[in-house]
């Protein structure tokens, strides 16, 4: 399993745990052998950036055994874990304990931060650019365009958002090339949508071609 898994019974004893759980949290052998959930919790708290907040949420869950919970937790070493907890009930409705799942999502979080920073840099550059710059989503609809594009095409930002890029092209040969190339670009992410050296003719909101 990619998750570190811990199962605790209703009396606070560690019923079972996998190797991934021990590795992720660096659980000492004596703690693992003790089967004490309190000992394991103390070991976990030592590694968290916000141990008090995590402890409060854990205590809350144990006071409300029927609740499920999920959150992202940050460790002192910078790692980020997705933490999920589910109660366990038998067919007779008796509460038997709680299962905990931990997944290391550090790489994904770093990628998300990097993407946000990249998008922000693009927006800053695009805003000040003299050229019209248009961003579109995977369906070919406008998701962002800069002030130069708004001036060039004459649409307000509200009017432009979610408009198909097809609607900005007017020459039949350009539309044909775009409609042929765009699905391939969607599928493979490579290749020119309308041709690398194609000089496009577009249409402004007032109907004028340019």
């Amino acid at each position: 399993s990619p998750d570190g898994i811990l199962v605790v019974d209703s009396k606070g004893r560690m019923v079972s745990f996998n190797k991934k759980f021990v590795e992720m949290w660096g659980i000492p052998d004596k703690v693992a052998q003790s089967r004490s959930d309190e000992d394991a919790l103390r070991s976990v708290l030592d590694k968290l950036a916000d141990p008090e907040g995590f402890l409060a949420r854990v205590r809350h869950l144990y006071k409300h055994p029927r609740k499920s919970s999920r959150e992202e937790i940050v460790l002192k070493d910078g790692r980020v874990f997705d933490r999920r907890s589910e109660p366990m009930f038998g067919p007779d409705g008796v509460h038997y304990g709680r299962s905990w799942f931990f997944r290391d999502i550090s790489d994904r979080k770093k990628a998300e931060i990097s993407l946000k920073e990249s998008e922000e840099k693009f927006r800053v550059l695009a805003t000040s650019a003299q050229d019209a710059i248009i961003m579109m989503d995977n369906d070919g609809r406008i998701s962002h365009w800069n002030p130069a594009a708004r001036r060039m095409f004459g649409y307000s930002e509200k009017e432009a958002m979610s408009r198909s890029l097809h609607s900005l092209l007017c020459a039949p040969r350009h539309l044909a090339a775009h409609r042929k190339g765009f699905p391939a670009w969607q599928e493979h992410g490579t290749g020119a949508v309308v041709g690398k050296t194609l000089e496009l003719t577009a249409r402004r909101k007032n109907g004028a071609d340019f």
Side-chain angles (χ1 to χ4, degrees):
S1 171
D3 297 331
I5 302 172
L6 169 67
V7 179
V8 181
D9 67 16
S10 58
K11 295 182 179 180
R13 292 185 300 247
M14 294 194 297
V15 177
S16 64
F17 49 87
N18 65 352
K19 183 179 179 181
K20 188 72 173 179
F21 171 76
V22 174
E23 291 175 348
M24 290 175 72
W25 289 106
I27 302 295
D29 290 341
K30 63 179 182 179
V31 173
Q33 292 168 5
S34 73
R35 296 279 173 171
S36 169
D37 185 38
E38 284 293 331
D39 290 344
L41 181 58
R42 279 193 291 270
S43 181
V44 165
L45 291 174
D46 286 342
K47 298 176 177 64
L48 292 176
D50 179 26
E52 293 84 5
F54 181 78
L55 181 60
R57 292 187 290 274
V58 170
R59 297 297 189 210
H60 178 77
L61 281 176
Y62 281 126
K63 289 179 181 178
H64 301 83
R66 293 185 175 273
K67 282 194 172 184
S68 298
S69 175
R70 188 168 192 169
E71 65 174 334
E72 291 180 4
I73 52 178
V74 181
L75 281 68
K76 291 177 181 176
D77 62 11
R79 288 180 295 165
V80 182
F81 290 172
D82 177 77
R83 191 276 297 161
R84 183 165 55 91
S85 182
E86 300 287 346
M88 297 186 300
F89 295 94
D92 51 3
V94 175
H95 176 242
Y96 283 97
R98 179 171 290 277
S99 55
W100 297 84
F101 304 88
F102 301 91
R103 179 171 296 187
D104 191 333
I105 58 171
S106 305
D107 290 341
R108 191 186 81 194
K109 295 301 292 185
K110 288 178 183 177
E112 289 175 357
I113 293 172
S114 178
L115 178 61
K116 287 180 181 179
E117 291 176 347
S118 178
E119 289 176 343
E120 183 58 29
K121 287 178 181 178
F122 168 80
R123 290 182 187 278
V124 170
L125 290 171
T127 298
S128 59
Q130 297 302 307
D131 294 326
I133 300 175
I134 300 172
M135 285 180 67
M136 59 184 178
D137 61 21
N138 287 333
D139 295 320
R141 297 188 176 279
I142 297 169
S143 59
H144 175 79
W145 65 358
N146 67 346
R150 291 197 292 272
R151 292 191 296 271
M152 186 174 291
F153 286 93
Y155 292 100
S156 68
E157 183 148 5
K158 184 177 180 181
E159 291 173 318
M161 291 308 97
S162 298
R163 176 182 290 273
S164 170
L165 191 63
H166 299 320
S167 65
L168 302 180
L169 307 177
C170 56
R173 68 189 182 96
H174 297 163
L175 282 171
H178 182 73
R179 286 177 174 143
K180 179 181 178 181
F182 188 71
W185 176 83
Q186 281 180 302
E187 184 175 353
H188 304 294
T190 58
V193 176
V194 290
K196 292 181 180 178
T197 59
L198 199 61
E199 184 176 315
L200 296 174
T201 302
R203 180 163 293 159
R204 306 183 202 276
K205 181 182 177 181
N206 64 10
D209 296 345
F210 69 99

